[in-house]
Amino acid sequence: PSTSSAPPPPLQPPHLSEAQQELFDDIVSTRAGVVGKEALFDEQGGLRGPWNAEVASPHLGKHLERLASAVRHQNSLEPRLYEVAILVVGVHWRAQFEWYAHERLARKAGIAEAAFPLIKAGAPAERLRGVLKPDEAAVYSLALELMRTKRVSAPTYAATKVALGGDDR
């Protein structure tokens, strides 16, 4: 018996159940225009990243997609702010696909080019000040602290709240 934990094989039409096909189609229709087809599909036409695992378990996958959509679209943060947070989380967990998919989205959202190598290196928050806009730097600082310490200090929370306009977005 093998002890390796290889990812599941790519799931793609026509080898999908009805529920899997429905989720596959939904992911393609909602994500292709956002992340681009090159990020969405592998060389064999299967879904990359988390989407293949979602299609493997479509009943759970549809709820994960709803959660992801709510996080992205049902908050008051601008895309440039949540993309900074996503990049920090991706770097922390060494999630190559997360970086691959979201670096382009962060660029499109207006994150300064000089910030990318610093974010990718997990640079201290002080090094991003003056590179990122003040609200982006506050989000970076909060996300970095959360990833490193698994909590957010009261001073970091308060500074981020002020930088974001004083509300709890």
Side-chain angles (χ1 to χ4, degrees):
S2 174
T3 58
S4 70
S5 57
L11 297 168
Q12 59 200 50
H15 310 290
L16 302 175
S17 70
E18 185 177 327
Q20 289 172 325
Q21 184 67 56
E22 185 178 316
L23 182 58
F24 183 97
D25 293 343
D26 184 52
I27 290 168
V28 171
S29 71
T30 59
R31 299 299 183 102
V34 177
V35 299
K37 289 187 177 186
E38 66 283 349
L40 190 61
F41 296 107
D42 66 17
E43 297 75 25
Q44 291 79 39
L47 296 171
R48 293 186 191 269
W51 301 300
N52 190 57
E54 289 179 10
V55 170
S57 181
H59 300 293
L60 178 59
K62 72 180 177 181
H63 295 295
L64 291 171
E65 280 300 299
R66 286 180 47 212
L67 174 63
S69 179
V71 167
R72 279 191 316 279
H73 303 296
Q74 296 176 5
N75 72 73
S76 61
L77 292 178
E78 296 173 44
R80 64 187 176 80
L81 298 172
Y82 62 73
E83 290 301 336
V84 166
I86 290 168
L87 290 176
V88 171
V89 172
V91 166
H92 176 79
W93 291 109
R94 296 182 182 101
Q96 293 173 335
F97 179 80
E98 207 67 22
W99 183 271
Y100 172 74
H102 287 275
E103 179 184 23
R104 183 175 79 84
L105 296 173
R107 279 192 169 91
K108 184 177 176 185
I111 300 302
E113 193 62 36
F116 291 99
L118 295 169
I119 294 171
K120 195 169 193 175
E126 306 78 54
R127 292 201 37 217
L128 275 290
R129 291 195 185 102
V131 176
L132 292 173
K133 294 175 183 173
D135 55 353
E136 296 165 354
V139 168
Y140 179 83
S141 181
L142 184 139
L144 191 65
E145 183 175 311
L146 180 61
M147 290 297 96
R148 289 186 174 166
T149 68
K150 307 301 180 243
R151 58 188 50 202
V152 176
S153 67
T156 298
Y157 177 80
T160 304
K161 188 173 178 178
V162 168
L164 295 178
D167 66 14
D168 288 321
R169 302 183 208 197

